Amino acid sequence: MAPGNFTWVTEFILTGVSDCPELQIPLFLIFLLIYGLTVSGNLGIITLTSVDSRLQTPMYFFLRHLAIINFGNSTVIAPKMLINFLAKKKTTSYYECATQLGGFLFFIVSEVIMLAVMAYDRYVAICNPLLYMVVVSRKICLLLVSLTYLYGFSTAVVVSPCIFSVSYCSSNVINHFYCDIAPLLALSCSDTYLPETIVFISAATNLVLSMITVLLSYFNIVLSILRIRSSEGRKKAFSTCGSHMMAVTVFYGTMLFMYVQPQTNHSLDTDKMASVFYTLVIPMLNPMIYSLRNKDVKDALKKFMANLCSSCRSM
C-alpha cells in the first residue's frame, strides 16, 4: 500500500464475542453474571483473608493477592465488553486500547508469577515444615509479592508500547472482545517481526519458568507426601495443596491449549474463546475452588456472616 493511501487509525472497533444481533442481550446477561460472581467471589476472598485471624498465614497472604490479580484482570476486560454488548458503535479509542492492553498484560503476567510463588510456598510448607516460618517469613512474602507486581508492570511497560509502535492504518476492526496482541498485530500495515519476537520471548520465558517452578515444586511435594506413612497424614498434606493444584491445572491447561496447538489449527476465533476462559471464567472459578475445597475459608466465611448478622440485629 502506498503511503498516500494510508488512513491512520485513531480508534478501533471491537467485534466482540459474537456479531449476531440476536445474541447480544443473552450474552450480555451471561457475562454480567460471570463478572458479578467474579467481583463478589474475589472481594470475598480479599475481605476474609484480611479480617480473619486464622487466615493470616503466608498461604492466605498469597491467595489474597491472587484474588486481587483476578479481580483486576477481569475488571480491565469485562466492563468495556458489557458496554459493547449494548452499544450500537463498539468503538474504543487508540489510547484506551493501549491502556487496556497494558492493564491486561500487567495482571496476566502477575498471575503467572503468583501461581509459581504459591507453588513454592506449598513446597516449603510440606517438604520443610520446620523451616516454613523462617523461609517464608513476612518479609519474604512482601518481597515475593512486590517482585511479582514489579515484573508484571515491567512486562506491560515494555510489551504494550512495542505493540503500539507499529503503524495501524485503513482497517481498524479488531476481531476480539478486547485489545489483545494477536488481533492488533494482524491489523498492522508495517513490519511486525520485532514486536512478534519480543512477545514470543516474553510469553515463552514467563510460561516456561513458571511451569518449571510449579512442576518441580509439586514433584517434590508428591514425593514427600508418598513418604508419609499414615493415610490421614497423606490426606491432610494433599488437602493443603489440592485447591492450588486444581487452579494451576485449569490455568495452564488453557494457556497450553492456546499456545501449543499446531499453527494450522490456530485462528483468532480460537484465541477469542480461550481468552474468554482465562480473562473471565478462571477469575470467577478461582474463589470457588479455594473456598469450596478449603475448610479454613468456609469457617471464616461462616464466622464473618454470623458477626455481620449480629451487627445488623444490634442496630
Side-chain angles (χ1 to χ4, degrees):
M1 186 183 291
N5 294 331
F6 283 176
T7 302
W8 299 106
V9 171
T10 58
E11 66 177 16
F12 295 99
I13 298 171
L14 295 163
T15 61
V17 177
S18 172
D19 56 3
C20 295
E22 61 272 18
L23 291 178
Q24 300 306 299
I25 297 299
L27 285 173
F28 169 80
L29 295 174
I30 290 170
F31 285 105
L32 180 63
L33 175 62
I34 290 173
Y35 183 57
L37 291 172
T38 300
V39 170
S40 57
N42 284 290
L43 288 182
I45 292 289
I46 294 166
T47 302
L48 290 176
T49 54
S50 299
V51 302
D52 195 284
S53 58
R54 293 170 296 180
L55 304 183
Q56 301 305 308
T57 63
M59 181 176 77
Y60 294 109
F61 177 78
F62 294 132
L63 177 57
R64 183 191 315 156
H65 285 278
L66 179 65
I68 292 171
I69 291 167
N70 284 161
F71 173 75
N73 193 20
S74 186
T75 300
V76 164
I77 306 298
K80 183 67 177 178
M81 177 189 186
L82 292 170
I83 291 170
N84 283 344
F85 278 127
L86 305 178
K88 290 184 179 179
K89 194 177 180 184
K90 307 176 191 294
T91 59
T92 181
S93 73
Y94 183 90
Y95 293 105
E96 184 182 10
C97 189
T99 303
Q100 186 182 53
L101 176 61
F104 163 72
L105 288 171
F106 169 69
F107 286 114
I108 199 69
V109 172
S110 297
E111 182 168 3
V112 169
I113 305 303
M114 185 57 67
L115 288 172
V117 168
M118 293 175 74
Y120 173 72
D121 169 72
R122 292 298 82 208
Y123 159 72
V124 177
I126 293 173
C127 299
N128 297 287
L130 297 178
L131 297 174
Y132 180 60
M133 295 310 296
V134 176
V135 176
V136 194
S137 64
R138 178 72 177 174
K139 187 180 291 185
I140 295 297
C141 288
L142 289 171
L143 178 64
L144 289 172
V145 167
S146 299
L147 289 175
T148 296
Y149 288 131
L150 181 62
Y151 184 74
F153 179 75
S154 63
T155 302
V157 166
V158 171
V159 175
S160 188
C162 184
I163 299 302
F164 282 88
S165 67
V166 301
S167 300
Y168 293 99
C169 46
S170 296
S171 178
N172 66 338
V173 179
I174 299 175
N175 184 20
H176 218 301
F177 57 91
Y178 71 97
C179 294
D180 199 7
I181 293 170
L184 276 167
L185 290 179
L187 298 180
S188 176
C189 53
S190 60
D191 184 18
T192 59
Y193 176 77
L194 179 60
E196 285 177 347
T197 303
I198 291 173
V199 168
F200 176 79
I201 292 172
S202 176
T205 302
N206 295 338
L207 277 175
V208 169
L209 290 180
S210 176
M211 287 186 67
I212 287 173
T213 303
V214 170
L215 290 173
L216 286 177
S217 296
Y218 277 104
F219 177 76
N220 285 289
I221 286 170
V222 170
L223 289 181
S224 294
I225 291 175
L226 292 176
R227 292 192 195 105
I228 299 173
R229 294 185 178 181
S230 69
S231 58
E232 188 65 30
R234 287 195 297 269
K235 183 179 178 182
K236 185 178 180 181
F238 267 121
S239 69
T240 64
C241 58
S243 298
H244 183 253
M245 288 178 70
M246 187 180 294
V248 163
T249 301
V250 172
F251 182 81
Y252 284 116
T254 305
M255 286 293 185
L256 289 174
F257 168 79
M258 184 169 177
Y259 291 109
V260 181
Q261 60 181 309
Q263 195 64 31
T264 53
N265 296 336
H266 194 83
S267 71
L268 291 178
D269 289 331
T270 305
D271 288 356
K272 195 187 298 186
M273 292 303 102
S275 297
V276 167
F277 210 77
Y278 67 72
T279 60
L280 299 169
V281 177
I282 289 177
M284 176 193 70
L285 291 177
N286 277 347
M288 297 180 186
I289 291 171
Y290 283 103
S291 58
L292 294 177
R293 291 181 56 86
N294 192 300
K295 185 177 182 299
D296 291 337
V297 174
K298 287 189 284 187
D299 290 344
L301 179 60
K302 290 175 184 177
K303 181 183 175 182
F304 180 79
M305 295 304 294
N307 291 338
L308 193 63
C309 291
S310 299
S311 301
C312 291
R313 282 195 294 267
S314 62
M315 290 177 66

